[in-house]
Every structure is written in C-alpha cells, then in structure tokens.
Amino acid sequence: MPLLTPDPIDSLTIVQPYVRLGDPHACSDDRHRLSLLHALYEPLIKRAANGHYQAALAESWSVSEGAQHWRFHLREQVRFHDGQLLSSDDVVASLARVRDESITGELGTTGIYQGYLQDCKLEASDAHTVNIYLPHAMADLLDVLVELFILPATRLSELPTLPPGTGPLKLVRQREDEIVTDAHAHYWQGTPAVKRVIWQVLASVDERLEALASARADIASDIHQASENLIQHTQPSSVATTFMFNLVSGQVGDINLRQALNYATDKKTIIDVLFDGHADIISSPCTATQLGFDPDLTPYAYDPGRARQLLDGVQTTDLKLTFDVPSRLPDEALQLGSLLQEQWQHVGVSLELIEHADRPQYANDVRDTNIHDAACFDSSPHSTFRLFSEKFSSHNPGVWWLGYDNADFNHLLAQARTTISARARQQIYRQAAGILRDDPPWLYLYNTRLFWLTGHKARTWRPSVDGLITFTPHNHPL
C-alpha cells in the first residue's frame, strides 16, 4: 500500500532484524529481504488480495485457451534508475537468467523457478510485447512471474554487483547494518511518497521499540506488543507451520495415524504458549493469503478420544515416532516439539526430537527426504499452485515432495493447470485442500501473523498485501 500524504516526506527510517539484498533472482521467501528488493526492482505483475494479481511493468496480459501461450504488453516510458528505457529485451533476458541452472536459491529452493520456466520459449515480438510459450499448460504462470524481477539486459553481466531497477527507490549505499535508498526521480507511477528511506538493523525487539519511541525510527518490523503513541499493524502471513510427514520411508504412511496425530494436538494451547494467542489454527496447507484458502474448511478439533479410536486401527504396535526440528526457522520448533511430546503422551504416542543446528543443511535434508517420521517446516508460498505442485503432486513430484500420493488430488491439480478462470480455479483448489485436510500429508498447526509498529511520521503507511514494507507514489495508490 502507498504512503498517502499530500507532499513527499524527506526521509523515513525502518528498523528490522537484518538488512540484505543479494541476487535479485535467487528464490527466497524472506520478507525483510523482499521488502528491500521490491523497493528497487519490479516484476511484470504484482500481487493483489486473496491470490489475485494487478498490473505492474506489464500493463496488460492475455493467455491462450490451453494456458500454454501468454502475451504481456509492457508499459511504455518506464525507465531504469540509470535512465534506460524498459523494453521486451530486458524481460526476455531477465527470465532467461532466472532459469539458468547456476542461479541458486535460499534454504533448499535452488531449481524451483527453473522447473517452471526451463523448457518455455521466450520471445520479444516487438519493443513492448513479450510472448511466453509453455510446453505444458500453466494457468497459474502469474504465481511464478510475480516473484521474478526485471533487470536491464545490458547490465546483467555486472552481477553480483546490483544493476539498476525500475522500482520507486534506488540504491544509494549498503552496509551490513544499513541500506540507504532514494526516490527514483523518473518512476513510471509518478513522484514517490518519500525522498529517502533508510533501512537499519536493530536485532532485538526492545531496541526497535526504543528507536520508535524516541522517534529515531518510523517503522519497525516484528513487534506484536502494542505501545502508547505508536500505531500497530497486523495481518496474516503466508507461513503455515507444520510437521511434514515422511511418506516415503517413515512410519506415518497409515492415514489413521496421521489423522490421529492431528486430533491429538491441542493447537490452541500451543498458540497461547508460543505466541500469546497471536496465530491462527489451519485446516489445510493453505493460508488466508492463498487462492485455495477455504474459510469454510474446518480444522481438526482437539479430540484425544477420537485420536485413541484411530490409533486402535493403526497396523503397528510401535507408536514411538521420531521428528526432526531445526534450531531456527521456525525459531520455536524445539519448544513446539516439546509441547507435542507432552500432549501425545495422553494418547499413547512417544515422540523423540532430533534437533538440527545447520538450517541450510536441514532444508536440503528435508528436500532429499533424509528425515525421520516428520520434519518441522514453515511453508510460505503465497501461491496455491506452487504449494500443491512442489509438495503434494505425485504425478510430477516437486522439490519438497515427501511421498504423498492421492489420485483424486492429482486429478484436480491437473484440471487446475488448464482452467483459465481464477474463480473456477479457486473452487478446484478448495476441493483439493479438502482432500489434503481429510488425507493429511502434514500435521497441521498454525498460521503466524505479521506485526509492525509505526510512529507519527508514518501514520498512514500500511503493509502490502503480501506482508512487505513498500512505498509507492502518494498520487498513485495501488
């Protein structure tokens, strides 16, 4: 959302746990990093509410009936920070770079974008028209493109030195503890709402809160307690915290056991203990930010009696499970596992926890199914299509597939790939979410919420629909 103000503000200071940029094309779900990148760079289209999209660098687009040919018409007179005009060559070069196998990703995400774009044909039919020809139907291509920044083709060779972007802010300088950005004077939407934005590192909540209270900062991330004279903002995140069952080689292949563990888990108590109630119980892998989210889908109730009945039907006498937990991301994973240990004792299930300190290696182990019966993970795609394709489809298993195989689910996912209407696709995805609820590949826990505090100078600021700190021109609200 824009910062709505009659005149541009001279400067704003944002404090958050860390600041970093890195390769704009590296796959990431780190919203602190993405806030910075979205200030500097832009994709063809941007997210709107509830899994829908709106125009950005592409002012319009169309898709063929078979969802294999997409055409994008670019805005004219869009300038990069160095003054170059945006053209279709920049789009083709950027998307071609994204699918290069040398482009890495964060925490096990290397190769995700390549999987979607690897065999497509990219064509610049004129200076402002880009065609994408896909080998297979992909009605949700926008779910991928919304995450891919367009860089100037003539400056790609400068990477890892960051090239200019088209975003409302341009990079002035960066250090490990601070990044300074200034307004892009020729931004295509008009004058940005603030002349300078300073992004600073303050690791602790208390430091960020004190910086706001003393007016040394204007926006602070990740503070859920309210404070006098400061404005609190909150919204659901895209993060679903779960335990992903190992259905390749674990003991949890029996649907009765997986349902029983969901019934045996008191999610409300867990949320109260870990977050003082500031999270929401989930009924499926979909969160409220996604197209496939179904508000009428009922979560598993806490019902130990039902759990015991289901466990009576489990074809094993060994109810000793081993779950893997990381030491961070989610940071509460070990404490969460301890709460499960306590709760599951009441239904006769013994749980051992294996802690992993190396988070990147942990992600790779999960990706390679090198885990025990389940692994704690914070799933975060905004895209239902990506979520379902990468984690649950056995027809063409994605990078996070852990052995789930449901023919009805696969059929719905295949149907969605050719369904152009977002509303019709939403209904398909809701049916698929219902299958995942009843035949659970995960232990469903909670959807965390996002929090910010702002001072007086940023009183009209609001977070974007995807939970980012963004700035757009005061005279062109999105």
Side-chain angles (χ1 to χ4, degrees), residues 40 169-172 179-183 195-199:
L40 304 176
L169 302 176
K170 61 182 180 180
L171 182 64
V172 175
I179 290 177
V180 178
T181 56
D182 280 355
K195 295 178 182 179
R196 169 162 287 192
V197 179
I198 303 168
W199 314 70

Side-chain angles (χ1 to χ4, degrees), residues 124-196:
S125 55
D126 61 44
H128 295 96
T129 306
V130 175
N131 293 283
I132 301 178
Y133 300 92
L134 300 164
H136 307 288
M138 195 186 305
D140 286 291
L141 178 64
L142 299 185
D143 280 15
V144 179
L145 296 182
V146 72
E147 301 180 6
L148 307 183
F149 297 112
I150 305 306
L151 314 181
T154 58
R155 305 286 295 270
L156 291 180
S157 61
E158 299 175 11
L159 289 156
T161 299
L162 289 175
T166 61
L169 302 176
K170 61 182 180 180
L171 182 64
V172 175
R173 62 178 181 270
Q174 61 174 319
R175 304 191 311 239
E176 288 188 1
D177 63 342
E178 181 181 86
I179 290 177
V180 178
T181 56
D182 280 355
H184 177 16
H186 302 290
Y187 187 49
W188 58 271
Q189 290 193 72
T191 305
V194 59
K195 295 178 182 179
R196 169 162 287 192

Side-chain angles (χ1 to χ4, degrees), residues 11-15 211-212 215-220 453-458:
S11 69
L12 287 176
T13 297
I14 299 164
V15 288
L212 275 179
R216 292 187 294 108
D218 304 294
I219 301 175
L453 280 181
T454 62
H456 177 75
K457 194 161 61 169

Side-chain angles (χ1 to χ4, degrees), residues 93-267:
S94 295
L95 298 183
R97 182 177 186 271
V98 167
R99 66 181 182 184
D100 189 302
E101 293 183 357
S102 66
I103 305 301
T104 61
E106 296 184 334
L107 299 179
T109 59
T110 297
I112 284 182
Y113 295 147
Q114 290 91 327
Y116 295 116
L117 299 178
Q118 189 172 30
D119 297 322
C120 74
K121 177 184 176 183
L122 304 169
E123 175 189 85
S125 55
D126 61 44
H128 295 96
T129 306
V130 175
N131 293 283
I132 301 178
Y133 300 92
L134 300 164
H136 307 288
M138 195 186 305
D140 286 291
L141 178 64
L142 299 185
D143 280 15
V144 179
L145 296 182
V146 72
E147 301 180 6
L148 307 183
F149 297 112
I150 305 306
L151 314 181
T154 58
R155 305 286 295 270
L156 291 180
S157 61
E158 299 175 11
L159 289 156
T161 299
L162 289 175
T166 61
L169 302 176
K170 61 182 180 180
L171 182 64
V172 175
R173 62 178 181 270
Q174 61 174 319
R175 304 191 311 239
E176 288 188 1
D177 63 342
E178 181 181 86
I179 290 177
V180 178
T181 56
D182 280 355
H184 177 16
H186 302 290
Y187 187 49
W188 58 271
Q189 290 193 72
T191 305
V194 59
K195 295 178 182 179
R196 169 162 287 192
V197 179
I198 303 168
W199 314 70
Q200 291 182 343
V201 175
L202 287 179
S204 77
V205 169
D206 289 341
E207 288 177 314
R208 296 196 292 277
L209 190 56
E210 192 281 328
L212 275 179
S214 63
R216 292 187 294 108
D218 304 294
I219 301 175
S221 298
D222 301 349
I223 302 179
H224 64 75
Q225 63 261 45
S227 181
E228 188 177 358
N229 299 323
L230 298 176
I231 303 167
Q232 185 182 60
H233 307 277
T234 183
Q235 67 183 47
S237 73
S238 65
V239 176
T241 301
T242 71
F243 275 86
M244 302 163 65
F245 291 125
N246 181 357
L247 300 178
V248 174
S249 59
Q251 302 180 65
V252 288
D254 191 321
I255 186 175
N256 291 311
L257 175 55
R258 287 180 275 123
Q259 289 181 340
L261 295 178
N262 274 282
Y263 279 117
T265 304
D266 185 353
K267 288 108 172 173

Side-chain angles (χ1 to χ4, degrees), residues 5-57:
T5 178
D7 298 300
I9 293 173
D10 284 337
S11 69
L12 287 176
T13 297
I14 299 164
V15 288
Q16 53 190 45
Y18 49 85
V19 294
R20 63 188 180 89
L21 287 166
D23 191 326
H25 288 155
C27 185
S28 173
D29 60 4
D30 184 337
R31 61 189 176 85
H32 297 304
R33 174 175 178 261
L34 291 175
S35 289
L36 274 158
L37 287 173
H38 275 274
L40 304 176
Y41 302 102
E42 295 176 296
L44 290 172
I45 43 90
K46 291 185 178 181
R47 286 191 181 93
N50 305 119
H52 297 279
Y53 294 99
Q54 61 190 11
L57 293 182

